[in-house]
Amino acid sequence: MCLYTMGKFLMKRLPIELERSIIIHNVMRYSSSSSKPFESIPGLSSLPIIGPIHHFIPGIGSVGLRASFFELSKVLFEKYGSIVKLDGLLARASMVILYEPDHFEQIYRSEDSVAPSRPGFDTLVYYRTKLRKSTYDGVYGLTTAEGMQWRDFRTKVNPALLKPKLVKLYTPVLEEIAKDMVARLTMLKNDTYLQENLDLEITKWSLESIAVIGLGSRLGCLEDNLSEDHPARILIKCSQDIINLSWKLEFFPSLWKYYPTSNYKKIIKTFDLQWDTSAKFIEEARRIINGREHNIPEEDKSIIEKLLDIDDRVATMMANEMLLAGIDTVAFTTVALLYNLATNPKVQDKLREEIRLPEPKNRYLKACLKESLRLYPVIPANLRRTTKDHFVAGYHIPKGVDVIAPNEFLSRMDKNYPRASEFIPERWLVEKSDPIYYGNCHPMVTLPFGFGVRSCIGRRIAELEIEVFIKRLLNDVKVTWEGPPVQVISRVMNSFKKPYYFKFETAH
Ligand code: HEM
């Protein structure tokens, strides 16, 4: 945008934004007699339009640019205490970070009855509900829908995705995929390629796994030399581009709401490509289902087949969201678990012993996964947008505020877990009388899959995929880490800074 256009834009927007600030200011003056007004919550000061963004300017701002949400939570907690306000910038909602689990629990629980609000990415919401309205026509998917549209969708898909029977049903096919993946990792193990591309390889496995559950067929992601223009590779790239572009568009000042910026144009192109590519896979699944000459038992049907029996458009959207929300999340969680096992060899040995039992119960495996998610959740914080007034921690929190629970930060605090920074799966298994027993901690501190009726719909699937893969891998392979401690970067979701210093050897 040239300076002239920018000047014209600001002249037009400034009065609107100032008027908006005055309205918000007046609304926030209201408070119950004993509660202090919202505006008096400690936090970063704001400037008109740009909000508190100047505090994040590297070298100048009071907070600077932080690599991870964990670091940002820490700085704000140390500066302001257990309740921190950040005003929204460029017409975005204000945010409050609550560091006391009782406080965000109070809000989350009272917001949780029918359709709790969790704002999706503004660009994706705009894309689905405005720009491509005719394609989506009221079926916006779990990540973007709100209110009764979300409730209706979720009610339809819950049974197919959350059934406990999932485990029995999909374990054999996931075992096949895990076997192929271990063979591929064993082939690549001495290749320096893995130092920069382990995440890509693990994402190919997670896409192959979610596709087989969601669509009922294998995509071939684990084939050698998967070309860049293979649809599976395109899907992986789309989901990563969406994360990176959303980060730039949602967390930094951007004028995309007023002017089609270059990142905005890129993300729209990527949304189109992701939708068209996944639609091809979904069409293929539909063709196979319709072409089948015999009926198959209900319990043997893939998720899309079960959903197609209920509602065609919901089935298509859910399959699309599984291919979007179900790949990088699982991949990061798996890599984080591998890192914890590699850097805690005794835990790895103990886990291998359990895996090699004739009939393993997977108790230690599940504890390892829980502990890894406590330390390295892929989503560092939870979020709800208030739909009514709340009075919490002595302050008024009005309707329309984003309430953030900094779960990763809280989960690493010694006040919540003894030896909080250590990887100790035993804490999830020991008796109540043991000081490290996880139940001594507030139940809202560690929420890697979110909270209540709006929590992650892919949880069971994700846990199953990871457990099956780790069992197969550790049975055959010993994993070590030969490098400095890993660093986390938050770009919407958490990821590890490369390179990866894993070493894979034959396990004895
Ligand atoms: C270890 C892997 C995963 C983690 C840690 C994870 C975590 C999360 C979290 C924290 C939320 C927000 C929940 C809330 O606001 O309360 C969420 C929502 C969601 N996840 Fe996952 N997720 C994972 C895997 C998956 C998979 C495999 C799928 C695909 C089936 C998936 C699909 C979704 C969807 C569609 C939502 C939105 C749910 C709604 O609003 O109703 N996730 N996930």
Side-chain angles (χ1 to χ4, degrees):
M1 191 191 284
C2 72
L3 267 177
Y4 173 73
T5 332
M6 170 83 94
K8 252 178 80 179
F9 160 77
L10 284 176
M11 290 301 286
K12 242 169 63 190
R13 279 310 300 175
L14 204 55
I16 301 170
E17 295 297 337
L18 284 176
E19 191 188 345
R20 191 178 162 273
S21 310
I22 293 164
I23 294 168
I24 291 173
H25 177 86
N26 286 338
V27 169
M28 290 175 185
R29 283 169 71 88
Y30 164 78
S31 69
S32 83
S33 54
S34 57
S35 294
K36 287 180 262 175
F38 181 71
E39 61 207 357
S40 66
I41 296 176
L44 300 175
S45 60
S46 283
L47 294 172
I49 302 182
I50 62 163
I53 199 74
H54 54 293
H55 291 279
F56 299 99
I57 300 172
I60 312 171
S62 64
V63 174
L65 208 54
R66 301 285 156 170
S68 67
F69 188 76
F70 174 89
E71 281 181 33
L72 177 64
S73 314
K74 188 167 181 284
V75 171
L76 294 177
F77 178 68
E78 284 164 1
K79 240 170 139 58
Y80 300 107
S82 62
I83 172 164
V84 180
K85 177 169 73 73
L86 299 168
D87 290 328
L89 66 149
L90 291 169
R92 286 181 203 157
S94 291
M95 288 176 270
V96 168
I97 309 182
L98 294 175
Y99 291 83
E100 280 300 331
D102 277 343
H103 294 158
F104 59 82
E105 177 174 28
Q106 185 187 324
I107 295 182
Y108 282 24
R109 286 205 189 281
S110 68
E111 285 285 336
D112 203 39
S113 50
V114 180
S117 169
R118 189 197 55 237
F121 293 140
D122 281 353
T123 42
L124 188 57
V125 173
Y126 176 73
Y127 173 82
R128 285 181 180 170
T129 62
K130 300 263 171 18
L131 203 65
R132 301 284 182 264
K133 193 173 189 305
S134 55
T135 309
Y136 297 97
D137 193 21
V139 180
Y140 299 131
L142 295 177
T143 54
T144 41
E146 287 280 54
M148 288 319 287
Q149 279 175 334
W150 170 83
R151 180 83 236 167
D152 289 348
F153 194 110
R154 181 92 194 206
T155 309
K156 285 183 180 153
V157 296
N158 264 348
L161 277 103
L162 292 173
K163 266 208 175 99
K165 269 197 176 162
L166 277 175
V167 174
K168 210 172 128 222
L169 192 58
Y170 297 116
T171 299
V173 66
L174 288 177
E175 272 170 354
E176 260 176 47
I177 296 173
K179 213 168 123 203
D180 292 352
M181 184 62 201
V182 172
R184 184 161 173 78
L185 271 185
T186 311
M187 180 188 79
L188 293 170
K189 69 183 178 190
N190 295 323
D191 202 324
T192 47
Y193 161 87
L194 275 190
Q195 290 190 353
E196 290 296 327
N197 294 290
L198 181 76
D199 52 341
L200 171 61
E201 290 302 319
I202 298 283
T203 310
K204 287 180 187 169
W205 155 80
S206 66
L207 175 55
E208 188 78 3
S209 303
I210 195 73
V212 93
I213 295 178
L215 306 175
S217 51
R218 291 196 55 172
L219 305 186
C221 303
L222 302 180
E223 280 161 22
D224 214 12
N225 300 324
L226 194 71
S227 68
E228 297 266 321
D229 56 0
H230 188 287
R233 196 71 181 75
I234 292 175
L235 270 190
I236 292 175
K237 182 158 178 346
C238 283
S239 80
Q240 282 161 359
D241 287 351
I242 289 170
I243 291 168
N244 289 332
L245 290 164
S246 300
W247 169 246
K248 291 180 188 156
L249 288 159
E250 313 265 341
F251 295 88
F252 289 89
S254 168
L255 297 177
W256 72 267
K257 282 187 187 164
Y258 314 106
Y259 180 85
T261 62
S262 89
N263 281 334
Y264 166 82
K265 286 185 200 157
K266 279 187 208 158
I267 205 165
I268 297 300
K269 249 180 144 175
T270 314
F271 287 147
D272 280 340
L273 185 60
Q274 196 275 345
W275 179 261
D276 293 345
T277 313
S278 77
K280 281 186 199 137
F281 285 131
I282 295 162
E283 257 326 296
E284 178 62 10
R286 207 192 301 259
R287 195 188 57 75
I288 294 171
I289 293 163
N290 293 339
R292 206 190 286 129
E293 279 167 3
H294 57 279
N295 286 335
I296 63 166
E298 189 57 29
E299 66 266 22
D300 286 355
K301 290 180 177 173
S302 66
I303 286 174
I304 195 160
E305 189 162 3
K306 285 184 192 134
L307 293 179
L308 281 170
D309 291 344
I310 304 169
D311 183 323
D312 201 279
R313 289 185 321 141
V314 167
T316 308
M317 176 55 99
M318 190 64 237
N320 174 276
E321 290 212 320
M322 288 170 80
L323 297 175
L324 186 63
I327 54 179
D328 297 294
T329 45
V330 171
F332 173 76
T333 305
T334 307
V335 174
L337 177 54
L338 285 180
Y339 171 75
N340 283 312
L341 294 170
T343 49
N344 292 275
K346 284 191 182 141
V347 174
Q348 189 180 151
D349 290 345
K350 188 168 165 185
L351 178 55
R352 190 171 292 104
E353 263 172 44
E354 179 188 84
I355 286 169
R356 286 177 175 172
L357 288 174
E359 282 183 34
K361 296 266 186 294
N362 302 338
R363 282 188 75 229
Y364 199 61
L365 174 58
K366 285 179 195 298
C368 288
L369 179 54
K370 276 188 190 153
E371 182 66 347
S372 190
L373 279 162
R374 179 182 72 82
L375 288 168
Y376 295 103
V378 63
I379 317 268
N382 278 285
L383 171 68
R384 290 291 179 266
R385 180 165 290 172
T386 54
T387 58
K388 55 188 174 197
D389 289 293
H390 294 269
F391 298 95
V392 166
Y395 291 100
H396 170 219
I397 298 180
K399 182 177 164 177
V401 170
D402 288 348
V403 175
I404 296 175
N407 296 98
E408 180 186 5
F409 176 68
L410 298 178
S411 296
R412 284 170 171 261
M413 281 176 112
D414 282 327
K415 96 170 190 195
N416 290 323
Y417 291 96
R419 296 157 63 196
S421 57
E422 292 176 47
F423 181 72
I424 311 177
E426 284 72 10
R427 64 173 97 240
W428 300 93
L429 297 170
V430 292
E431 298 289 317
K432 277 184 180 169
S433 54
D434 194 312
I436 63 162
Y437 173 61
Y438 79 94
N440 295 331
C441 176
H442 194 295
M444 296 292 284
V445 164
T446 303
L447 299 173
F449 291 101
F451 173 75
V453 292
R454 197 139 198 190
S455 64
C456 178
I457 196 159
R459 176 180 188 156
R460 275 181 199 281
I461 295 173
E463 287 171 343
L464 179 65
E465 287 175 10
I466 297 169
E467 285 168 21
V468 169
F469 172 64
I470 292 289
K471 274 169 81 171
R472 184 74 249 166
L473 180 75
L474 286 200
N475 187 59
D476 302 353
V477 176
K478 182 178 163 194
V479 190
T480 48
W481 177 266
E482 296 183 353
V486 80
Q487 275 181 48
V488 174
I489 310 168
S490 307
R491 298 266 181 279
V492 180
M493 293 177 358
N494 280 342
S495 61
F496 286 152
K497 194 169 173 211
K498 297 178 191 182
Y500 298 102
Y501 295 102
F502 285 111
K503 218 174 144 211
F504 300 98
E505 297 160 280
T506 307
H508 299 290

